[in-house]
């Protein structure tokens, strides 16, 4: 062991939100008190949320972990020998990379998270960083686009549109200037993969956007980050400065004579701005009102110019495709879903976190191999896949592979891969009502099916729950959902019916009057044991 | 804090200085004004509109469209509780009920002393550590009623921060 021990304490907000800053301070203070020289690196998060704050010590064999550590544990950790990686303490979890949760994943896009200091270019380059950009700088734009097309990469933000096709359209557009826009308005409950990229490995996003710029012929990129993610904004800004200083962004990227730079723009609490055209409106300084398509943003996008708009995870997947080649990436996955899916396991689950695996894994495998049961210890009753606009998936569908087409076949959506677990206290009529309520709150108001439909939907579900003319109201609700699906301008109104109808179809008992799962099964008021 | 004590004119002028020439400057500019003043006073609309060559209606429209922008002086500590699906699955509603009774104010309102405001927020991206909340710009996850009380207690008058 070297003279100065290195200790890692994550700076990601999922770690800070449970006390990582206080733990880092306590470790520094305790080391000082004991006269031990110590280097603390604020790394990214591994995405193992239940172990945060996950403190790691560098050892010859890899990293040794302790978690979840609270400030009051720190003195006892030192008593047990910390920061010597051989320290034994009840919070020891051993070699972090040997944890089955991590070892069983295929981390490509997220290969570096938790390993590196997110804002250190040196660290990034030491872990295969900028290899993709270096290769792209030697290639013609068509060749870059072809490589991305051949990899089979599809939009990871939810819509799953082939990224290469989108880039090709923007590349072929004649007008200049062109733009690259990163949609980092990750508003969907259950999803946090974009946030993890921005806070734990922001340089991979910067590299991906720069490659996109080279491919489509853009010299400027915008990252539209939601205001609910202040940590992401700060980490991105820091990483961009570091990249600029090291010559990876700016007027002359790696002395190639090529120019590309980035700007972070902060949203202001509007969910619908995650829709690409509403986001463009917002970037242009207006209310986030959805635009009708066509024109496609790839041809007529930001400030009326050709614009490649991609989600964070999509852009962050590009560097490894360029570095290792399209076929390497394409070899993962099933059917037309190539590469890896970033399952974001969330909600009522013991071991929530980021699970990057090849497409084709099933929900049951996710629950059994990673989830570790519900946090409440009760049975799982429903799982919402793909965010607030995704369906509630009942147990009968848990063996269907997570694959865009297989999910579409039963009316589900893989989306960005968020998996929100609900235990058996959930009331699906209430969740359906919430879906309509949320749509009413967040609708931009441009199209009638969404603006009015969501309000009416909430009212109709209230009547159903109250048992007023239930059969007719259910017919009305289905009719309303049909109108919203077919008549809305964007996914907000067009997909809000997905959770509503899946709740109604798979959990009809919750829509019967007097059926209150919440009170019948409330853990605080258990029903008498039969 | 009364509006009179605020340097509204100066705040707008400084923000215009920074952003006037940027394409799509309105949102970054409003963020700066709010950052400096705590909110966007209605009397600033005219100067912003003139500075960016927009109509007052356009500026007013943007301020009122986005929930993040405030038109009134905020409470000292803005508490935002996540009420989205993942947090709901972990008791966000019960936490909201607890928060309202602990603070003595309803959702979307502030305490009488103007110290705390309470608002729902729809997702902080901490869905694997639910329920979560934000106080000012700091996020907190795995928030139990006890942890909520501790965090709030530390921000009450007479308590060290």
């Amino acid at each position: 062991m070297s003279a100065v021990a290195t200790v890692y304490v994550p700076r990601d907000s999922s770690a800070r939100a449970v006390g990582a800053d206080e733990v880092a301070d306590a470790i520094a203070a305790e080391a000082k008190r004991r006269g031990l020289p110590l280097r603390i690196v604020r790394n990214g998060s591994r995405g193992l949320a239940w172990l945060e704050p996950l403190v790691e010590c560098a050892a010859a064999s890899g990293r040794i972990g302790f978690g979840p550590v609270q400030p009051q544990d720190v003195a006892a950790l030192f008593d047990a020998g910390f920061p010597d990686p051989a320290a034994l303490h009840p919070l020891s979890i051993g070699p972090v990379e040997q944890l089955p949760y991590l070892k069983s994943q295929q981390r490509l896009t997220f290969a570096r998270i938790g390993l590196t200091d997110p804002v250190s270019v040196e660290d990034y380059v030491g872990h295969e960083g900028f290899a993709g950009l270096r290769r792209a700088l030697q290639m013609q734009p068509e060749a870059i686009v072809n490589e991305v097309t051949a990899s089979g990469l599809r939009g990871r933000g939810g819509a799953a549109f082939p990224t290469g096709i989108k880039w090709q359209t923007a590349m072929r557009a004649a007008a200049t200037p062109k733009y690259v826009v990163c949609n980092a308005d990750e508003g969907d409950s259950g999803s946090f993969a974009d946030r993890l990229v921005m806070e734990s490995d922001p340089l991979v996003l910067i590299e991906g956007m720069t490659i996109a710029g080279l491919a489509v012929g853009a010299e400027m990129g915008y990252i539209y980050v939601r205001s609910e993610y202040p940590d992401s904004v700060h980490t991105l800004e820091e990483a961009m400065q570091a990249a600029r200083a090291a010559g990876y962004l700016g007027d002359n990227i790696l002395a190639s004579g090529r120019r590309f730079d980035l700007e972070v723009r902060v949203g202001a609490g509007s969910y619908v701005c995650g829709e690409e055209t509403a986001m463009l409106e917002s970037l242009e300084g207006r209310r986030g009102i959805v635009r009708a398509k066509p024109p496609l943003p790839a041809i007529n996008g930001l400030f009326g110019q050709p614009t490649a708009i991609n989600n964070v995870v999509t852009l962050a997947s590009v560097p490894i495709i360029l570095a290792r080649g399209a076929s390497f990436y394409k070899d993962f996955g099933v059917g037309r879903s190539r590469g890896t899916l970033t399952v974001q396991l969330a909600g009522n689950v013991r071991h929530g976190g980021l699970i990057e695996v090849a497409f084709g894994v099933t929900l049951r495998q996710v629950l059994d191999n990673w989830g570790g049961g519900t946090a409440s210890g009760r049975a799982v009753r429903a799982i919402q896949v793909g965010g607030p606009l995704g369906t509630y998936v009942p147990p009968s569908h848990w063996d269907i592979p997570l694959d865009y087409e297989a999910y579409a076949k039963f009316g589900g959506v893989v989306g960005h891969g968020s998996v929100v677990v609900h235990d058996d206290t959930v009331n699906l009529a209430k969740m359906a009502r919430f879906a309509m309520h949320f749509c009413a709150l967040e609708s931009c108001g441009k199209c009638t099916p969404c603006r009015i439909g969501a309000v009416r939907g909430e009212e109709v579900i209230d009547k159903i729950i109250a048992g007023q003319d239930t059969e007719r109201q259910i017919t009305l609700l289905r009719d309303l959902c049909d109108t919203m699906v077919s008549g809305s301008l964007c996914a907000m109104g067009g997909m809000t019916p997905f959770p509503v109808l899946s709740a109604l179809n798979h959990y009809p008992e919750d829509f019967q009057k007097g059926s209150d799962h919440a009170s019948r099964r409330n853990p605080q008021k258990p029903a008498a044991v039969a | 804090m009364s509006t009179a004590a605020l340097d509204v004119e100066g705040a707008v002028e400084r923000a215009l200085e920074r952003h006037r020439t940027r394409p799509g400057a309105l949102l970054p500019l409003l963020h700066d004004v709010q950052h400096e003043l705590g909110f966007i006073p209605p009397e600033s609309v005219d100067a912003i509109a003139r500075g960016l060559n927009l109509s007052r209606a356009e500026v007013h429209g943007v301020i009122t469209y986005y929930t993040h922008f405030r038109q009134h002086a905020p409470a000292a500590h803005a508490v935002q509780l996540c009420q989205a699906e993942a947090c709901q699955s972990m008791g966000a509603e019960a936490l909201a009920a607890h928060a309202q009774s602990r603070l003595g104010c309803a959702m979307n309102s502030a305490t009488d002393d103007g110290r705390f405001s309470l608002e729902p927020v729809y997702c902080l991206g901490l869905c694997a550590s639910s329920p979560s909340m934000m106080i000012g710009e700091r996020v907190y996850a795995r928030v139990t009623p006890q942890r909520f009380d501790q965090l709030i207690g530390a921000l009450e008058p007479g308590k060290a921060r």
Side-chain angles (χ1 to χ4, degrees):
Chain A
M1 208 174 101
S2 60
V4 178
T6 301
V7 167
Y8 297 86
V9 185
R11 56 177 281 172
D12 183 280
S13 61
S14 61
R16 295 187 66 222
V18 288
D21 288 353
E22 291 78 3
V23 169
D25 289 347
I27 290 174
E30 192 67 23
K32 196 172 171 201
R33 201 174 66 81
R34 296 177 187 234
L36 291 169
L38 193 71
R39 187 172 79 103
I40 297 178
V41 175
R42 299 304 300 268
N43 59 329
S45 169
R46 301 263 191 175
L48 314 178
W50 82 97
L51 286 175
E52 295 293 0
L54 170 57
V55 175
E56 298 177 48
C57 299
S61 56
R63 302 251 194 98
I64 307 297
F66 303 86
V69 178
Q70 288 300 297
Q72 59 270 25
D73 300 321
V74 168
L77 271 174
F78 275 86
D79 287 343
F82 181 92
D84 184 332
L88 279 180
H89 182 272
L91 295 176
S92 300
I93 55 163
V96 177
E97 268 139 58
Q98 297 306 312
L99 289 173
Y101 199 96
L102 261 186
K103 213 181 166 188
S104 53
Q105 300 192 27
Q106 284 120 8
R107 288 206 169 169
L108 307 182
T109 304
F110 291 86
R112 264 174 308 263
I113 64 160
L115 279 172
T116 54
D117 171 349
V119 296
S120 161
V121 171
E122 192 190 343
D123 225 356
Y124 183 68
V125 171
H127 289 81
E128 218 186 321
F130 290 121
L133 175 63
R134 283 181 188 281
R135 185 165 165 244
L137 282 167
Q138 312 297 321
M139 295 163 75
Q140 292 301 313
E142 298 79 17
I144 302 173
V145 170
N146 289 342
E147 191 88 46
V148 172
T149 306
S151 74
L153 179 65
R154 292 163 71 178
R156 297 288 188 250
F161 188 82
T163 306
I165 305 292
K166 198 185 265 186
W167 285 16
Q168 190 179 57
T169 310
M171 176 187 73
R172 289 184 178 164
T176 55
K178 302 179 186 181
Y179 297 101
V180 176
V181 170
C182 172
N183 184 346
D185 195 36
E186 185 179 49
D188 279 5
S189 173
S191 63
F192 49 83
D194 295 352
R195 188 187 58 66
L196 268 174
V197 168
M198 293 187 283
E199 296 176 14
S200 293
D201 196 17
L203 289 160
V204 78
L205 175 60
I206 292 169
E207 183 183 355
M209 289 188 73
T210 308
I211 295 170
L214 295 173
V216 305
E219 295 187 336
M220 183 67 201
Y222 290 93
I223 309 175
Y224 187 90
V225 188
R226 53 203 301 262
S227 55
E228 293 86 345
Y229 283 4
D231 285 34
S232 298
V233 174
H234 298 145
T235 310
L236 275 173
E237 299 270 15
E238 251 185 274
M240 277 160 47
Q241 265 182 29
R244 244 175 242 131
Y248 291 96
L249 277 180
D251 288 335
N252 189 10
I253 301 165
L254 294 176
S256 64
R258 308 292 296 271
R259 180 178 189 282
F260 189 76
D261 215 330
L262 284 173
E263 190 179 316
V264 172
R265 286 287 174 96
V266 182
S270 161
Y271 173 79
V272 83
C273 285
E275 196 284 332
E276 61 179 9
T277 61
M279 188 180 64
L280 294 177
E281 288 289 309
S282 186
L283 278 168
E284 292 180 12
R286 286 190 291 274
R287 297 182 296 147
I289 306 281
V290 173
R291 295 178 186 170
K293 284 192 278 194
L296 292 173
I299 294 165
N300 184 338
L302 186 63
F303 307 120
Q305 299 299 119
T307 305
I309 307 174
N310 294 108
N311 148 273
V312 175
V313 175
T314 313
L315 288 161
S317 300
V318 168
I320 196 167
I321 291 170
L322 267 293
R324 304 234 189 137
S327 57
F328 167 80
Y329 191 77
K330 200 180 180 165
D331 282 348
F332 294 88
V334 291
R336 292 204 291 122
S337 305
R338 309 313 311 177
T340 52
L341 173 68
T342 40
V343 174
Q344 295 138 79
L345 185 55
N348 196 327
V349 64
R350 266 180 75 207
H351 297 160
L354 182 97
I355 305 162
E356 183 178 3
V357 281
F359 280 95
V361 70
T362 67
L363 276 186
R364 201 178 302 281
Q365 287 167 338
V366 168
L367 291 179
D368 292 351
N369 301 350
W370 287 282
T374 57
S376 61
R378 303 178 66 91
V380 180
R381 181 150 183 261
I383 302 175
Q384 190 176 24
V385 178
L389 307 176
T391 57
Y392 286 96
V393 182
S396 58
H397 291 38
W398 292 353
D399 293 309
I400 295 171
L402 283 154
D403 155 44
Y404 295 126
E405 279 66 43
Y407 260 60
K409 211 184 263 177
F410 76 84
V413 277
V414 171
H416 39 56
S418 81
V419 170
V420 175
V421 178
H422 292 267
D423 74 8
D424 61 2
T425 61
V426 70
N427 179 315
L428 273 300
K430 218 175 106 199
M431 299 314 292
R433 184 187 186 281
F434 178 76
M436 286 293 189
H437 177 68
F438 186 63
C439 185
L441 279 178
E442 296 293 341
S443 173
C444 81
K446 179 156 177 166
C447 70
T448 314
C450 176
R451 185 183 67 246
I452 309 283
V455 178
R456 293 288 170 263
E458 203 178 335
E459 291 167 2
V460 171
I461 295 173
D462 276 341
K463 285 183 189 160
I464 295 170
I465 293 171
Q468 291 174 23
D469 208 2
T470 308
E471 284 312 307
R472 290 178 55 151
Q473 296 299 332
I474 286 178
T475 307
L476 195 57
L477 179 61
R478 288 188 186 280
D479 191 52
L480 178 67
C481 284
D482 187 52
T483 304
M484 289 175 75
V485 169
S486 317
S488 300
L489 261 179
C490 82
M492 173 98 250
M495 289 175 67
T496 289
F498 287 19
V500 174
L501 291 174
S502 61
L504 187 60
N505 291 337
H506 300 300
Y507 303 89
E509 64 273 24
D510 289 17
F511 290 79
Q512 298 306 312
K513 190 188 175 189
S515 153
D516 187 355
H517 281 276
S519 64
R520 189 147 51 84
R521 295 176 172 161
N522 195 323
Q524 272 95 49
K525 292 181 276 177
V529 178
Chain B
M1 200 177 354
S2 78
T3 314
L6 294 169
D7 180 14
V8 176
E9 225 168 281
V12 171
E13 198 42 56
R14 281 185 287 279
L16 279 169
E17 205 56 50
R18 279 190 294 274
H19 300 294
R20 201 192 310 260
T21 57
R22 288 172 114 182
L26 185 53
L27 265 79
L29 183 140
L30 292 175
H31 275 297
D32 275 14
V33 172
Q34 177 155 303
H35 187 77
E36 188 170 336
L37 303 177
F39 68 112
I40 302 165
E43 64 266 33
S44 69
V45 170
D46 198 37
I48 294 170
R50 267 187 285 115
L52 293 181
N53 197 22
L54 298 168
S55 71
R56 291 175 56 187
E58 283 170 305
V59 176
H60 176 78
V62 166
I63 296 169
T64 50
Y65 180 83
Y66 294 97
T67 52
H68 179 81
F69 295 132
R70 305 169 193 273
Q71 293 176 282
H72 304 283
H77 304 288
V79 180
Q80 295 184 292
L81 290 179
C82 180
Q83 297 292 298
E85 287 88 342
C87 284
Q88 284 185 34
S89 80
M90 289 298 287
E93 283 177 287
L95 184 64
H98 173 83
Q100 293 178 71
S101 75
R102 171 67 181 76
L103 293 174
C105 72
M107 270 292 180
N108 293 308
S109 71
T111 54
D112 290 339
D113 61 2
R115 198 151 187 90
F116 297 99
S117 63
L118 188 61
E119 285 163 21
V121 66
Y122 296 95
C123 199
L124 298 169
L126 300 168
C127 320
S129 320
S130 296
S132 62
M133 71 171 186
M134 204 168 188
I135 304 178
E137 283 214 338
R138 273 222 64 175
V139 286
Y140 301 92
R142 288 183 219 142
V143 183
T144 58
Q146 294 73 25
R147 183 141 187 260
F148 181 86
D149 292 351
Q150 277 168 14
L151 292 166
I152 294 300
L155 296 173
E156 279 177 333
K159 302 275 167 59
R161 278 212 60 180

